[in-house]
Protein backbone atom coordinates (compact mmCIF):
# COMPACT_ATOMS: atom_id res chain seq x y z
CA UNK A 1 0.00 0.00 0.00
CA UNK A 2 2.85 2.36 0.79
CA UNK A 3 4.43 1.51 -2.58
CA UNK A 4 1.12 2.16 -4.32
CA UNK A 5 0.74 5.56 -2.60
CA UNK A 6 4.22 6.65 -3.61
CA UNK A 7 4.61 4.95 -7.03
CA UNK A 8 1.20 3.97 -8.44
CA UNK A 9 2.50 3.65 -12.00
CA UNK A 10 5.17 1.18 -10.89
CA UNK A 11 2.59 -0.98 -9.13
CA UNK A 12 0.36 -0.94 -12.22
CA UNK A 13 3.27 -2.10 -14.37
CA UNK A 14 4.02 -4.92 -11.93
CA UNK A 15 0.40 -6.10 -12.01
CA UNK A 16 0.27 -5.95 -15.81
CA UNK A 17 3.60 -7.77 -16.05
CA UNK A 18 2.29 -10.53 -13.81
CA UNK A 19 -0.87 -10.81 -15.90
CA UNK A 20 1.10 -11.02 -19.15
CA UNK A 21 3.35 -13.73 -17.72
CA UNK A 22 0.31 -15.70 -16.57
CA UNK A 23 -1.23 -15.45 -20.03
CA UNK A 24 1.97 -16.81 -21.58
CA UNK A 25 2.03 -19.62 -19.02
CA UNK A 26 -1.64 -20.37 -19.71
CA UNK A 27 -1.18 -20.83 -23.45
CA UNK A 28 2.02 -22.81 -22.91
CA UNK A 29 0.13 -25.15 -20.56
CA UNK A 30 -2.69 -25.54 -23.07
CA UNK A 31 -0.19 -26.40 -25.81
CA UNK A 32 1.34 -29.06 -23.54
CA UNK A 33 -2.08 -30.39 -22.52
CA UNK A 34 -1.46 -29.61 -18.82
CA UNK A 35 -5.01 -29.32 -17.46
CA UNK A 36 -3.90 -28.90 -13.82
CA UNK A 37 -1.80 -25.82 -14.64
CA UNK A 38 -4.62 -24.40 -16.78
CA UNK A 39 -7.06 -24.73 -13.86
CA UNK A 40 -4.58 -23.18 -11.43
CA UNK A 41 -3.90 -20.13 -13.61
CA UNK A 42 -7.55 -19.44 -14.42
CA UNK A 43 -8.80 -20.01 -10.85
CA UNK A 44 -5.97 -18.04 -9.18
CA UNK A 45 -7.62 -15.50 -6.91
CA UNK A 46 -4.68 -13.09 -6.99
CA UNK A 47 -4.64 -12.77 -10.77
CA UNK A 48 -7.77 -14.33 -12.32
CA UNK A 49 -8.03 -14.81 -16.07
CA UNK A 50 -11.28 -14.69 -18.00
CA UNK A 51 -10.86 -17.42 -20.67
CA UNK A 52 -13.47 -15.76 -22.88
CA UNK A 53 -11.46 -12.52 -23.08
CA UNK A 54 -7.84 -13.66 -22.79
CA UNK A 55 -5.91 -13.80 -26.07
CA UNK A 56 -2.30 -14.57 -26.82
CA UNK A 57 -1.99 -11.63 -29.24
CA UNK A 58 0.60 -13.46 -31.37
CA UNK A 59 0.89 -14.67 -34.95
CA UNK A 60 1.98 -18.27 -35.46
CA UNK A 61 2.94 -20.61 -38.32
CA UNK A 62 0.26 -22.53 -40.21
CA UNK A 63 -1.48 -25.04 -37.94
CA UNK A 64 -1.67 -22.74 -34.90
CA UNK A 65 -4.35 -20.03 -34.53
CA UNK A 66 -3.40 -16.34 -34.44
CA UNK A 67 -4.59 -14.15 -31.54
CA UNK A 68 -6.50 -17.12 -30.14
CA UNK A 69 -8.49 -17.71 -26.99
CA UNK A 70 -7.72 -20.65 -24.65
CA UNK A 71 -10.61 -22.67 -26.12
CA UNK A 72 -9.43 -22.20 -29.72
CA UNK A 73 -5.85 -23.09 -28.80
CA UNK A 74 -6.97 -26.22 -26.94
CA UNK A 75 -9.09 -27.35 -29.90
CA UNK A 76 -6.27 -26.65 -32.35
CA UNK A 77 -3.88 -28.73 -30.23
CA UNK A 78 -6.40 -31.55 -29.82
CA UNK A 79 -6.66 -31.59 -26.00
CA UNK A 80 -10.24 -32.72 -25.36
CA UNK A 81 -10.15 -32.60 -21.48
CA UNK A 82 -9.09 -28.93 -21.60
CA UNK A 83 -11.75 -28.14 -24.22
CA UNK A 84 -14.43 -29.78 -22.07
CA UNK A 85 -13.32 -28.03 -18.87
CA UNK A 86 -13.12 -24.60 -20.53
CA UNK A 87 -16.65 -24.92 -21.94
CA UNK A 88 -18.31 -26.65 -19.00
CA UNK A 89 -16.70 -24.90 -16.03
CA UNK A 90 -14.51 -21.96 -17.01
CA UNK A 91 -16.98 -19.89 -19.04
CA UNK A 92 -15.51 -20.23 -22.54
CA UNK A 93 -17.97 -19.92 -25.42
CA UNK A 94 -18.29 -21.68 -28.76
CA UNK A 95 -18.73 -18.39 -30.63
CA UNK A 96 -15.15 -17.30 -29.90
CA UNK A 97 -13.10 -16.51 -33.04
CA UNK A 98 -9.42 -15.96 -33.77
CA UNK A 99 -7.82 -13.37 -36.06
CA UNK A 100 -8.91 -15.26 -39.22
CA UNK A 101 -12.46 -15.85 -37.90
CA UNK A 102 -11.83 -19.54 -37.23
CA UNK A 103 -13.63 -21.03 -34.24
CA UNK A 104 -12.81 -24.14 -32.22
CA UNK A 105 -14.61 -26.59 -34.49
CA UNK A 106 -12.81 -25.20 -37.57
CA UNK A 107 -9.43 -25.76 -35.93
CA UNK A 108 -10.33 -29.26 -34.76
CA UNK A 109 -11.28 -30.14 -38.35
CA UNK A 110 -8.26 -28.42 -39.92
CA UNK A 111 -5.78 -30.18 -37.64
CA UNK A 112 -7.62 -33.53 -37.94
CA UNK A 113 -8.46 -33.90 -34.23
CA UNK A 114 -11.35 -36.33 -34.64
CA UNK A 115 -12.19 -36.79 -30.95
CA UNK A 116 -12.33 -33.04 -30.27
CA UNK A 117 -14.36 -32.40 -33.42
CA UNK A 118 -16.94 -35.07 -32.64
CA UNK A 119 -17.44 -33.80 -29.12
CA UNK A 120 -17.83 -30.19 -30.27
CA UNK A 121 -20.21 -31.13 -33.10
CA UNK A 122 -22.34 -33.76 -31.36
CA UNK A 123 -22.22 -32.96 -27.62
CA UNK A 124 -21.44 -29.24 -27.45
CA UNK A 125 -23.66 -28.28 -30.40
CA UNK A 126 -21.10 -26.26 -32.37
CA UNK A 127 -22.33 -24.33 -35.40
CA UNK A 128 -21.11 -26.14 -38.52
CA UNK A 129 -22.25 -23.46 -40.99
CA UNK A 130 -19.71 -20.76 -40.11
CA UNK A 131 -17.02 -19.53 -42.51
CA UNK A 132 -13.60 -18.04 -41.96
CA UNK A 133 -12.43 -14.73 -43.40
CA UNK A 134 -11.23 -16.64 -46.49
CA UNK A 135 -14.64 -18.25 -46.87
CA UNK A 136 -13.60 -21.72 -45.72
CA UNK A 137 -16.35 -23.96 -44.39
CA UNK A 138 -15.80 -26.66 -41.79
CA UNK A 139 -15.93 -29.26 -44.59
CA UNK A 140 -13.20 -27.51 -46.58
CA UNK A 141 -11.04 -27.33 -43.46
CA UNK A 142 -11.57 -31.03 -42.82
CA UNK A 143 -10.54 -31.80 -46.42
CA UNK A 144 -7.46 -29.61 -46.14
CA UNK A 145 -6.60 -31.34 -42.87
CA UNK A 146 -6.90 -34.77 -44.49
CA UNK A 147 -9.29 -36.35 -41.98
CA UNK A 148 -11.66 -38.64 -43.88
CA UNK A 149 -13.90 -39.58 -40.87
CA UNK A 150 -14.66 -35.88 -40.27
CA UNK A 151 -15.39 -35.37 -43.98
CA UNK A 152 -17.69 -38.39 -44.01
CA UNK A 153 -19.58 -37.25 -40.91
CA UNK A 154 -20.04 -33.70 -42.22
CA UNK A 155 -21.43 -34.90 -45.57
CA UNK A 156 -23.57 -37.78 -44.31
CA UNK A 157 -24.84 -36.34 -41.00
CA UNK A 158 -23.83 -32.70 -40.87
CA UNK A 159 -25.57 -31.60 -44.08
CA UNK A 160 -22.41 -30.27 -45.74
CA UNK A 161 -22.45 -29.68 -49.51
CA UNK A 162 -19.50 -31.16 -51.41
CA UNK A 163 -19.94 -28.62 -54.22
CA UNK A 164 -19.59 -25.54 -52.00
CA UNK A 165 -16.52 -23.36 -52.63
CA UNK A 166 -14.38 -21.04 -50.55
CA UNK A 167 -15.34 -17.46 -51.25
CA UNK A 168 -12.21 -15.29 -51.18
CA UNK A 169 -9.48 -17.87 -51.88
CA UNK A 170 -9.11 -19.73 -55.18
CA UNK A 171 -12.82 -20.59 -55.25
CA UNK A 172 -12.19 -24.32 -55.00
CA UNK A 173 -14.54 -27.13 -54.02
CA UNK A 174 -13.78 -29.93 -51.56
CA UNK A 175 -12.59 -32.20 -54.40
CA UNK A 176 -10.17 -29.57 -55.68
CA UNK A 177 -8.76 -28.99 -52.20
CA UNK A 178 -8.27 -32.73 -51.79
CA UNK A 179 -6.22 -32.83 -55.02
CA UNK A 180 -4.34 -29.66 -54.03
CA UNK A 181 -3.28 -31.23 -50.71
CA UNK A 182 -2.71 -34.72 -52.10
CA UNK A 183 -5.33 -36.52 -49.98
CA UNK A 184 -6.13 -39.39 -52.35
CA UNK A 185 -8.45 -41.27 -49.97
CA UNK A 186 -10.63 -38.17 -49.53
CA UNK A 187 -10.47 -37.44 -53.28
CA UNK A 188 -11.76 -40.92 -54.12
CA UNK A 189 -14.49 -40.78 -51.47
CA UNK A 190 -15.76 -37.40 -52.67
CA UNK A 191 -16.02 -38.68 -56.25
CA UNK A 192 -18.27 -41.46 -54.97
CA UNK A 193 -20.48 -39.00 -53.05
CA UNK A 194 -21.46 -36.25 -55.46
CA UNK A 195 -18.27 -34.55 -56.62
CA UNK A 196 -17.41 -34.31 -60.32
CA UNK A 197 -13.91 -34.87 -61.67
CA UNK A 198 -14.41 -32.04 -64.19
CA UNK A 199 -14.83 -29.39 -61.46
CA UNK A 200 -12.51 -26.39 -61.74
CA UNK A 201 -11.59 -23.56 -59.41
CA UNK A 202 -12.65 -20.00 -60.14
CA UNK A 203 -9.33 -18.13 -60.00
CA UNK A 204 -7.35 -19.87 -62.75
CA UNK A 205 -9.93 -22.35 -64.11
CA UNK A 206 -7.70 -25.26 -63.07
CA UNK A 207 -9.21 -28.71 -62.58
CA UNK A 208 -8.06 -31.34 -60.09
CA UNK A 209 -5.40 -32.78 -62.42
CA UNK A 210 -3.78 -29.39 -63.00
CA UNK A 211 -3.83 -28.46 -59.31
CA UNK A 212 -2.23 -31.79 -58.42
CA UNK A 213 0.43 -31.39 -61.12
CA UNK A 214 1.19 -27.81 -60.09
CA UNK A 215 1.67 -28.79 -56.42
CA UNK A 216 3.52 -32.03 -57.12
CA UNK A 217 0.86 -34.45 -55.83
CA UNK A 218 1.97 -37.41 -57.92
CA UNK A 219 -0.40 -39.86 -56.22
CA UNK A 220 -3.41 -37.81 -57.33
CA UNK A 221 -2.02 -37.33 -60.86
CA UNK A 222 -1.38 -41.05 -61.32
CA UNK A 223 -4.79 -42.09 -60.04
CA UNK A 224 -6.64 -39.58 -62.23
CA UNK A 225 -4.76 -40.61 -65.38
CA UNK A 226 -4.70 -44.36 -64.83
CA UNK A 227 -7.86 -45.20 -62.88
CA UNK A 228 -10.39 -42.37 -62.66
CA UNK A 229 -13.32 -42.48 -65.08
CA UNK A 230 -12.84 -39.63 -67.53
CA UNK A 231 -9.41 -38.84 -66.12
CA UNK A 232 -7.55 -39.04 -69.44
CA UNK A 233 -9.86 -36.42 -70.92
CA UNK A 234 -8.50 -33.88 -68.42
CA UNK A 235 -5.07 -34.02 -70.06
CA UNK A 236 -6.35 -32.03 -73.04
CA UNK A 237 -9.34 -30.24 -71.49
CA UNK A 238 -7.45 -26.93 -71.22
CA UNK A 239 -4.86 -26.65 -74.02
CA UNK A 240 -3.52 -23.31 -72.77
CA UNK A 241 -2.53 -24.89 -69.42
CA UNK A 242 -1.25 -28.44 -70.02
CA UNK A 243 -0.58 -30.30 -66.74
CA UNK A 244 3.04 -31.06 -67.61
CA UNK A 245 3.67 -27.36 -68.28
CA UNK A 246 2.38 -26.47 -64.80
CA UNK A 247 4.61 -29.16 -63.32
CA UNK A 248 7.59 -27.75 -65.23
CA UNK A 249 6.87 -24.16 -64.23
CA UNK A 250 6.70 -25.11 -60.54
CA UNK A 251 9.72 -27.47 -60.74
CA UNK A 252 7.75 -30.57 -59.75
CA UNK A 253 10.24 -32.97 -61.30
CA UNK A 254 8.75 -36.40 -60.34
CA UNK A 255 5.33 -35.28 -61.56
CA UNK A 256 6.87 -33.84 -64.72
CA UNK A 257 8.68 -37.11 -65.45
CA UNK A 258 5.49 -39.10 -65.09
CA UNK A 259 3.44 -36.77 -67.27
CA UNK A 260 6.07 -36.73 -70.01
CA UNK A 261 6.93 -40.43 -70.02
CA UNK A 262 3.64 -42.13 -69.17
CA UNK A 263 0.58 -39.88 -69.08
CA UNK A 264 0.82 -38.39 -72.57
CA UNK A 265 1.56 -41.81 -74.04
CA UNK A 266 -1.59 -43.20 -72.39
CA UNK A 267 -3.65 -40.33 -73.77
CA UNK A 268 -2.66 -40.99 -77.37
CA UNK A 269 -4.79 -43.26 -79.58
CA UNK A 270 -3.57 -46.84 -79.78
CA UNK A 271 -2.58 -46.51 -83.45
CA UNK A 272 -0.35 -43.50 -82.71
CA UNK A 273 1.50 -44.65 -79.62
CA UNK A 274 4.33 -46.37 -81.50
CA UNK A 275 5.04 -43.38 -83.72
CA UNK A 276 4.83 -40.73 -80.99
CA UNK A 277 8.03 -38.99 -79.94
CA UNK A 278 7.90 -37.21 -76.60
CA UNK A 279 10.87 -34.98 -77.44
CA UNK A 280 9.17 -33.66 -80.57
CA UNK A 281 5.95 -33.18 -78.62
CA UNK A 282 7.60 -31.19 -75.82
CA UNK A 283 9.69 -29.08 -78.19
CA UNK A 284 6.61 -28.12 -80.24
CA UNK A 285 4.69 -26.93 -77.16
CA UNK A 286 5.32 -23.26 -76.43
CA UNK A 287 3.91 -23.41 -72.89
CA UNK A 288 6.21 -26.28 -71.93
CA UNK A 289 9.34 -24.52 -73.19
CA UNK A 290 8.27 -21.33 -71.41
CA UNK A 291 7.90 -23.30 -68.18
CA UNK A 292 11.32 -24.91 -68.62
CA UNK A 293 12.81 -21.48 -69.33
CA UNK A 294 11.75 -20.37 -65.83
CA UNK A 295 13.35 -23.37 -64.09
CA UNK A 296 16.74 -23.56 -62.41
CA UNK A 297 19.67 -24.17 -64.80
CA UNK A 298 20.42 -27.53 -63.18
CA UNK A 299 16.88 -28.73 -63.88
CA UNK A 300 17.09 -27.43 -67.44
CA UNK A 301 20.32 -29.36 -67.96
CA UNK A 302 18.70 -32.52 -66.61
CA UNK A 303 15.81 -32.23 -69.08
CA UNK A 304 18.24 -31.64 -71.92
CA UNK A 305 20.46 -34.59 -70.98
CA UNK A 306 17.43 -36.90 -70.69
CA UNK A 307 16.32 -35.94 -74.18
CA UNK A 308 13.11 -34.14 -73.21
CA UNK A 309 14.19 -30.72 -74.46
CA UNK A 310 16.26 -29.68 -77.43
CA UNK A 311 19.11 -27.39 -76.36
CA UNK A 312 18.81 -24.96 -79.28
CA UNK A 313 15.06 -24.57 -78.90
CA UNK A 314 15.40 -23.90 -75.17
CA UNK A 315 18.17 -21.32 -75.65
CA UNK A 316 16.12 -19.53 -78.29
CA UNK A 317 13.04 -19.53 -76.02
CA UNK A 318 15.00 -18.08 -73.08
CA UNK A 319 16.45 -15.38 -75.35
CA UNK A 320 13.04 -14.36 -76.68
CA UNK A 321 11.56 -14.50 -73.18
CA UNK A 322 14.19 -12.00 -71.98
CA UNK A 323 13.65 -9.77 -75.00
CA UNK A 324 9.92 -9.38 -74.53
CA UNK A 325 10.12 -6.36 -72.15
CA UNK A 326 12.04 -4.54 -74.89
CA UNK A 327 9.34 -5.41 -77.43
CA UNK A 328 6.66 -4.28 -75.01
CA UNK A 329 8.38 -0.90 -74.55
CA UNK A 330 8.74 -0.57 -78.31
CA UNK A 331 5.01 -1.12 -78.86
CA UNK A 332 4.12 1.33 -76.08
CA UNK A 333 6.48 3.92 -77.56
CA UNK A 334 4.97 3.48 -81.01
CA UNK A 335 1.49 3.89 -79.54
CA UNK A 336 2.47 7.15 -77.80
CA UNK A 337 4.03 8.42 -81.04
CA UNK A 338 0.76 7.69 -82.87
CA UNK A 339 -1.13 9.57 -80.17
CA UNK A 340 1.02 12.67 -80.65
CA UNK A 341 1.31 12.68 -84.46
CA UNK A 342 -1.84 11.04 -85.80
CA UNK A 343 -4.41 12.05 -83.22
CA UNK A 344 -7.42 11.45 -85.42
CA UNK A 345 -6.51 7.93 -86.57
CA UNK A 346 -4.84 6.67 -83.41
CA UNK A 347 -7.88 4.84 -82.03
CA UNK A 348 -8.15 2.94 -85.28
CA UNK A 349 -4.50 1.85 -85.09
CA UNK A 350 -4.43 0.99 -81.39
CA UNK A 351 -6.33 -2.35 -81.58
CA UNK A 352 -4.04 -3.49 -84.40
CA UNK A 353 -0.94 -2.59 -82.38
CA UNK A 354 -2.20 -4.49 -79.32
CA UNK A 355 -3.10 -7.50 -81.45
CA UNK A 356 0.38 -7.48 -83.00
CA UNK A 357 2.00 -7.39 -79.56
CA UNK A 358 0.05 -10.39 -78.28
CA UNK A 359 0.62 -12.27 -81.52
CA UNK A 360 4.36 -11.82 -80.98
CA UNK A 361 3.99 -13.03 -77.38
CA UNK A 362 1.95 -16.15 -78.18
CA UNK A 363 3.61 -17.31 -81.38
CA UNK A 364 6.90 -15.86 -82.50
CA UNK A 365 8.56 -15.27 -79.14
CA UNK A 366 7.60 -18.53 -77.48
CA UNK A 367 6.87 -21.14 -80.13
CA UNK A 368 9.71 -22.76 -82.09
CA UNK A 369 7.18 -23.81 -84.72
CA UNK A 370 7.13 -20.19 -85.89
CA UNK A 371 10.81 -19.46 -85.29
CA UNK A 372 12.03 -19.76 -88.88
CA UNK A 373 9.02 -17.88 -90.21
CA UNK A 374 9.56 -15.12 -87.65
CA UNK A 375 13.29 -14.81 -88.41
CA UNK A 376 12.67 -14.74 -92.16
CA UNK A 377 10.00 -12.04 -91.72
CA UNK A 378 12.11 -9.82 -89.48
Amino acid sequence: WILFESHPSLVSKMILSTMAENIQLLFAAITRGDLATVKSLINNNTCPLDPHKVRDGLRHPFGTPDNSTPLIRAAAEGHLPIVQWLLNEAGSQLRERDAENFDAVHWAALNAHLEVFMWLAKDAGADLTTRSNMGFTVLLDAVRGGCLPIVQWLVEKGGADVKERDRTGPGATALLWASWKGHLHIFQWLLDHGSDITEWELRNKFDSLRLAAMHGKLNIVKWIVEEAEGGLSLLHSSPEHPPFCLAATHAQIPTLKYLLLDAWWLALPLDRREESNITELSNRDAHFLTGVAKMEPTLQQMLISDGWVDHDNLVWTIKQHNQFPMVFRWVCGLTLWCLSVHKKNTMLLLPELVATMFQFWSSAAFSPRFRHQYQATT
Side-chain angles (χ1 to χ4, degrees):
W1 175 255
I2 294 174
L3 185 62
F4 179 75
E5 285 292 327
S6 57
H7 301 285
S9 60
L10 178 60
V11 175
S12 299
K13 290 181 180 179
M14 291 173 61
I15 295 174
L16 291 174
S17 176
T18 303
M19 179 68 75
E21 291 175 357
N22 283 350
I23 291 175
Q24 293 179 3
L25 289 174
L26 174 63
F27 282 97
I30 292 174
T31 302
R32 293 195 309 268
D34 187 353
L35 179 58
T37 302
V38 173
K39 289 182 178 180
S40 175
L41 288 169
I42 290 180
N43 293 332
N44 189 346
N45 293 326
T46 59
C47 191
L49 300 176
D50 185 348
H52 177 52
K53 297 179 181 178
V54 169
R55 294 183 177 272
D56 65 356
L58 302 175
R59 296 193 66 84
H60 303 278
F62 180 80
T64 305
D66 296 331
N67 195 27
S68 62
T69 64
L71 174 63
I72 295 175
R73 176 64 67 82
E77 298 293 341
H79 300 310
L80 181 58
I82 298 179
V83 171
Q84 293 172 329
W85 184 81
L86 288 171
L87 281 172
N88 294 335
E89 300 183 33
S92 293
Q93 301 175 14
L94 286 172
R95 67 171 182 268
E96 296 171 13
R97 302 284 189 273
D98 68 0
E100 298 298 327
N101 205 36
F102 285 99
D103 57 13
V105 73
H106 275 268
W107 275 110
L110 182 61
N111 287 347
H113 296 309
L114 178 61
E115 189 179 11
V116 175
F117 172 84
M118 289 301 181
W119 188 84
L120 289 171
K122 296 169 65 176
D123 299 333
D127 185 3
L128 302 177
T129 63
T130 59
R131 287 180 178 266
S132 67
N133 290 342
M134 291 285 289
F136 289 113
T137 63
V138 180
L139 175 62
L140 293 178
D141 286 330
V143 171
R144 294 195 298 156
C147 187
L148 180 58
I150 295 179
V151 173
Q152 292 172 330
W153 190 90
L154 285 168
V155 174
E156 295 174 350
K157 299 182 180 180
D161 182 7
V162 297
K163 294 294 186 69
E164 199 156 17
R165 304 173 182 268
D166 62 86
R167 291 178 178 171
T168 56
T173 62
L175 183 74
L176 297 173
W177 275 111
S179 66
W180 190 321
K181 297 298 182 179
H183 301 312
L184 179 58
H185 56 306
I186 296 179
F187 187 85
Q188 294 169 332
W189 188 88
L190 288 171
L191 283 176
D192 294 333
H193 291 80
S195 294
D196 187 349
I197 200 169
T198 61
E199 294 173 8
W200 42 265
E201 46 97 11
L202 300 179
R203 183 166 57 192
N204 297 311
K205 311 299 183 185
F206 290 163
D207 53 35
S208 54
L209 177 61
R210 281 157 179 78
L211 288 174
M214 183 169 63
H215 293 92
K217 308 305 179 183
L218 184 56
N219 59 335
I220 300 287
V221 172
K222 279 187 175 182
W223 190 84
I224 291 176
V225 172
E226 298 177 7
E227 300 185 38
E229 183 179 354
L232 284 177
S233 63
L234 297 182
L235 284 171
H236 306 290
S237 62
S238 180
E240 66 274 15
H241 295 295
F244 73 99
C245 294
L246 294 172
T249 304
H250 292 80
Q252 305 294 351
I253 300 303
T255 305
L256 177 61
K257 288 182 178 179
Y258 172 77
L259 288 170
L260 285 177
L261 296 178
D262 298 323
W264 283 101
W265 184 80
L266 290 171
L268 291 173
L270 292 175
D271 58 348
R272 290 190 53 202
R273 289 185 180 181
E274 294 184 358
E275 63 184 35
S276 62
N277 186 305
I278 192 63
T279 303
E280 294 180 1
L281 173 65
S282 60
N283 283 322
R284 285 200 309 267
D285 193 286
H287 296 280
F288 172 72
L289 286 173
T290 303
V292 174
K294 297 177 183 179
M295 296 170 66
E296 295 293 329
T298 54
L299 300 179
Q300 295 174 353
Q301 187 60 41
M302 185 198 72
L303 295 176
I304 293 173
S305 61
D306 289 347
W308 293 341
V309 178
D310 179 74
H311 178 269
D312 293 337
N313 280 341
L314 179 59
V315 170
W316 191 87
T317 303
I318 295 174
K319 180 180 178 181
Q320 297 303 324
H321 183 272
N322 295 333
Q323 287 181 351
F324 180 74
M326 178 186 67
V327 176
F328 182 79
R329 290 194 297 269
W330 177 81
V331 173
C332 290
L334 181 59
T335 303
L336 293 175
W337 177 79
C338 291
L339 287 172
S340 60
V341 178
H342 303 286
K343 295 182 180 180
K344 293 183 179 180
N345 299 326
T346 297
M347 297 311 296
L348 299 176
L349 295 174
L350 187 59
E352 184 177 352
L353 290 171
V354 174
T356 303
M357 179 182 67
F358 279 101
Q359 183 181 9
F360 183 88
W361 170 277
S362 60
S363 60
F366 290 98
S367 182
R369 287 176 295 176
F370 300 103
R371 180 175 60 177
H372 300 294
Q373 179 184 356
Y374 166 71
Q375 290 175 338
T377 304
T378 54

